[in-house]
Amino acid sequence: MELLEGIKQLTKDNGAIKNLRDLLIMTNFTDENLEQLFTFRQNVQQGGKLGWTGEMSEVGWAGAPCNPEYRTPTISAAEKQWDLGDWSMPLKWCYEEFMNTMAEYALKTGTDIHDLTGTDIMDVLIYPALDEAMKRMYMRFIWFGDKNTQEGDITAGLDVELFKPTDGLFKQLFAIGAANQTQRVNIAANQESTMAAQMSAIKQQGVAIGIFESLLENADPRIASMDGAALFVTKSLADALTKDLKREYKEILTWEQVFNGIKVTEFDGVKVYALSVWDRMIQRYQNNGTVLNLPHRAVFASPKQIFVGSPANSIISDLDIWFNKDERVVKAYAAGRLGTLIGVDNLFQLAY
């Protein structure tokens, strides 16, 4: 496990750390608030319908005669079907993994040495790391999931089962962009032949500003009026916009840190959320060693049109952690069902 491999690099003999409470997290990433980006639906069942109504057809005609002709206006309606997937998280830890590391100081003694519960190893090291890992797991399922994931679709060496519980939101959004090119702004930098070129091209003069302006100009006007409507973008695209505005107009774009790591600002009166978690996951999961898969992305939409559903009452499943006396290891287990849905297809404008 990555956690254990990292701990093994910190030996107890170097005198640097004697207490786990002195351990600082070396990669201090703060994951975004899960429900800031979508609407969660609880008590969802497999095959259940998500339906909604839209606008009424036009009413009001010229003249005011006697015995008028009465007409029945239409109201647009649509529905989509939930397709839920199962996931589980069975984990275990043996005390031997922590021997000859700085974590050895936190082990119990004697017969109880196997039991990590109630120690700093669990409370200070494993619990916080597991909490962050579960948040990443949900974000991976929700945004990057694909039931048809095959080797070659993701970074070499990754387990394809990490992505198969459900079809994520990006898969559905890309299908919308492919079906209706007017809803997509093409980002040429994504097509460069190396990662360095992909990152350099997005920072060229006028590129980022042009992408953001095209997104807003070509979008369905209804999007901007919806509750919570915003531009949700990769950090790479947000950074490029900041640089472009400063270079072109001497405008300093101020980003505010909110909601556990989301950075927010405004462009042309529209909120922009920079989601570094997307960048990290693209780099980790969709990297073939030469290029990244669409490293620059943007979604202009309302979270009221982006749905995540589960049969449970909460998106975060309960986590069981216990000491197994027969096997003399600590185990953790969580499981659940999850699905995602895009609302009205027309109410999205994409850039990738």
Side-chain angles (χ1 to χ4, degrees):
M1 301 178 67
E2 289 185 13
L3 171 65
L4 300 182
E5 291 303 316
I7 289 301
K8 288 177 181 178
Q9 305 304 313
L10 302 173
T11 66
K12 68 185 181 68
D13 297 322
N14 62 12
I17 301 176
K18 296 292 186 182
N19 190 323
L20 283 177
R21 295 189 185 279
D22 296 330
L23 178 63
L24 299 177
I25 302 300
M26 290 178 291
T27 54
N28 187 23
F29 291 125
T30 304
D31 284 303
E32 285 72 10
N33 183 292
L34 293 176
E35 294 187 41
Q36 179 65 21
L37 309 180
F38 51 74
T39 298
F40 176 66
R41 290 295 183 95
Q42 60 186 19
N43 302 320
V44 168
Q45 300 301 320
Q46 173 68 10
K49 306 290 186 179
L50 176 66
W52 56 88
T53 57
E55 296 179 334
M56 181 178 288
S57 60
E58 303 304 325
V59 298
W61 296 269
C66 296
N67 296 316
E69 175 189 357
Y70 284 85
R71 314 180 193 189
T72 301
T74 60
I75 300 177
S76 61
E79 66 178 16
K80 291 187 177 181
Q81 183 170 301
W82 286 104
D83 184 13
L84 304 179
D86 296 293
W87 64 269
S88 63
M89 189 189 69
L91 305 171
K92 67 178 180 179
W93 296 273
C94 174
Y95 86 98
E96 292 175 322
E97 299 284 355
F98 299 94
M99 294 297 291
N100 298 316
T101 75
M102 58 103 179
E104 184 178 341
Y105 290 102
L107 291 171
K108 296 178 182 178
T109 58
T111 302
D112 292 333
I113 193 171
H114 306 83
D115 186 2
L116 303 178
T117 61
T119 69
D120 276 357
I121 291 175
M122 293 301 298
D123 296 342
V124 180
L125 184 64
I126 292 179
Y127 283 152
L130 185 55
D131 175 67
E132 292 301 315
M134 290 185 70
K135 289 177 182 177
R136 293 197 308 271
M137 176 189 73
Y138 284 113
M139 293 296 280
R140 184 179 72 246
F141 292 161
I142 290 168
W143 287 99
F144 293 85
D146 186 340
K147 290 187 173 183
N148 297 318
T149 300
Q150 303 294 325
E151 291 185 8
D153 297 335
I154 56 177
T155 302
L158 288 179
D159 187 347
V160 295
E161 299 300 323
L162 290 170
F163 304 88
K164 287 189 173 183
T166 190
D167 285 335
L169 294 168
F170 274 129
K171 181 177 180 178
Q172 298 174 55
L173 290 169
F174 292 156
I176 291 174
N180 189 351
Q181 291 295 315
T182 63
Q183 289 180 246
R184 177 189 176 184
V185 176
N186 181 61
I187 299 181
N190 283 333
Q191 313 309 320
E192 294 290 340
S193 58
T194 67
M195 292 183 214
Q198 287 176 317
M199 296 304 159
S200 176
I202 198 66
K203 298 174 185 176
Q204 291 180 3
Q205 185 172 353
V207 170
I209 293 174
I211 291 169
F212 278 81
E213 288 180 342
S214 294
L215 270 168
L216 297 178
E217 290 171 0
N218 298 324
D220 188 312
R222 292 175 293 174
I223 298 176
S225 64
M226 298 185 70
D227 185 27
L231 286 155
F232 303 97
V233 308
T234 56
K235 180 178 181 294
S236 64
L237 193 52
D239 289 346
L241 177 66
T242 300
K243 183 174 183 178
D244 213 9
L245 286 172
K246 182 178 180 181
R247 177 175 51 211
E248 292 291 296
Y249 303 112
K250 309 302 182 204
E251 179 181 344
I252 305 299
L253 206 56
T254 302
W255 293 89
E256 179 185 358
Q257 191 95 5
V258 294
F259 299 116
N260 297 327
I262 294 177
K263 287 186 176 182
V264 62
T265 190
E266 282 195 7
F267 175 79
D268 201 16
V270 177
K271 281 190 175 181
V272 181
Y273 291 92
L275 308 174
S276 61
V277 66
W278 286 358
D279 301 71
R280 301 200 308 272
M281 290 191 169
I282 292 168
Q283 292 164 11
R284 180 180 297 184
Y285 304 142
Q286 299 184 347
N287 181 345
N288 69 6
T290 302
V291 296
L292 300 174
N293 178 41
L294 306 175
H296 317 298
R297 308 180 186 187
V299 179
F300 181 36
S302 165
K304 303 300 183 183
Q305 289 291 322
I306 304 173
F307 300 96
V308 175
S310 170
N313 293 326
S314 171
I315 193 171
I316 304 293
S317 294
D318 291 335
L319 176 65
D320 288 334
I321 297 182
W322 71 99
F323 174 56
N324 185 297
K325 291 186 178 181
D326 290 336
E327 299 179 28
R328 311 303 292 177
V329 296
V330 171
K331 292 187 174 183
Y333 186 81
R337 307 193 79 197
L338 196 70
T340 67
L341 276 181
I342 292 298
V344 180
D345 288 358
N346 293 339
L347 295 181
F348 290 85
Q349 195 70 18
L350 313 170
Y352 58 90

